[in-house]
Every structure is written in C-alpha cells, then in structure tokens.
Amino acid sequence: MNAPATAGMLQALPAEHRQRLMRFAGEVSFPQGARLFEEGGRADRFWIIRTGSVDLDMRVPGRRAAVIETLRHNELIGWSWLFAPHTWHLGAEATSPVRAYEFDATAIRSMCQDDCALGASVTQWVGSVLAHRLRSTRSRLLDLYAPYGSGSLL
C-alpha cells in the first residue's frame, strides 16, 4: 500500500478493509458555517467528505483562528479519534454545504483491535494523514507568524 500521504480512503486502504469500514458509515450533511468540532473537544467520530469543503483551523491566542488546511472530496476529517486521549487537536468548519460519511470512532477502534490487519491499514492511513497535517500546520504557521525574511527552512 504505497498511497500518497494525502490519499483518500479509497486509495489508501485495501478494498476488503474499505468495505468493512463502509458498513459503519452513516450519511450526514452540514450547512456552510457549521462547526464540526472544536479544538480540545471529545473526538468520538470522524468523516470522509463526499461533497463540499471543510477548513481545519487552530486557535491562536489574541488572534483569529488560523486556517491550516482546506479539505475536499474523499478526504478524512479528523484523526484525533484514533489516538488517546481522543481529543481534537484542531477545529473544523464547513466552508460550503458538506455531505459526508460519518463513522463512530469507538466502533471503528474496536473493529481495528479485533482485526490486526485492518488496524494496521487504518493506522497507516490515518498516520500518513496526520504526518501531512503536521507539515501543513507547520508551513501555515510559518507563513502567518515567522518574521518576514527570517529564512526559516521547512
């Protein structure tokens, strides 16, 4: 499984694992401007975007929240559900009407514990998304707050 770091579930997981996860998917929608979750809140679910876009943001003391990344079709919204203490590290807001598949984190974690191969696939997929998001966060915060001309290297 050599999928790119930003690969959606369809490219990142073997077909058998995708099919098992999709049995737990519920269809949901969010209007533009809806907050899906807040930084520090309980991460008890995650989503795969079908249509629309969602901004991931980070609170910055004394400033407006910094938009870290915009997610679109087939991208994972939320990774904090997989790793203890299961609290959101970022916030998320729909920037257009969104349709998504929603998954219950407890059910998926349990399924991953019961099936090591599935657990490894999901962990690798979510881990690659996490690594990409951390790089995006660092780059975005440097863009916003590093002194101009500081020569900061990524």
Side-chain angles (χ1 to χ4, degrees):
M1 169 174 33
N2 291 329
T6 58
M9 181 176 69
L10 295 176
Q11 295 84 25
L13 297 178
E16 173 190 339
H17 295 162
R18 274 193 318 270
Q19 291 166 358
R20 288 190 59 203
L21 287 178
M22 289 307 294
R23 288 186 211 132
F24 288 83
E27 294 187 29
V28 297
S29 60
F30 301 98
Q32 181 175 348
R35 295 291 295 176
L36 281 68
F37 53 85
E38 296 291 343
E39 191 175 337
R42 184 170 168 251
D44 60 355
R45 62 197 67 247
F46 64 96
W47 302 265
I48 304 293
I49 298 174
R50 295 176 58 209
T51 62
S53 59
V54 173
D55 277 352
L56 296 177
D57 56 36
M58 174 182 251
R59 289 186 300 223
V60 179
R63 297 179 184 240
R64 288 185 358 186
V67 173
I68 301 302
E69 189 170 8
T70 300
L71 306 178
R72 292 183 173 78
H73 175 71
N74 206 33
E75 290 191 277
L76 172 67
I77 305 172
W79 55 263
S80 301
W81 62 273
L82 186 57
F83 303 103
H86 309 296
T87 56
W88 297 117
H89 289 80
L90 299 171
E93 183 173 317
T95 55
S96 71
V98 171
R99 291 176 41 219
Y101 293 116
E102 182 176 84
F103 299 83
D104 177 270
T106 302
I108 300 302
R109 284 193 307 265
S110 177
M111 195 167 60
C112 288
Q113 277 188 314
D114 293 343
D115 180 337
C116 293
L118 173 68
S121 291
V122 169
T123 300
Q124 184 173 1
W125 167 50
V126 174
S128 68
V129 169
L130 171 57
H132 171 79
R133 301 253 167 93
L134 288 172
R135 286 189 301 273
S136 293
T137 300
R138 183 176 191 275
S139 296
R140 183 68 178 134
L141 292 177
L142 284 172
D143 286 348
L144 291 171
Y145 304 114
Y148 178 75
S150 64
S152 297
L153 297 176
L154 298 179

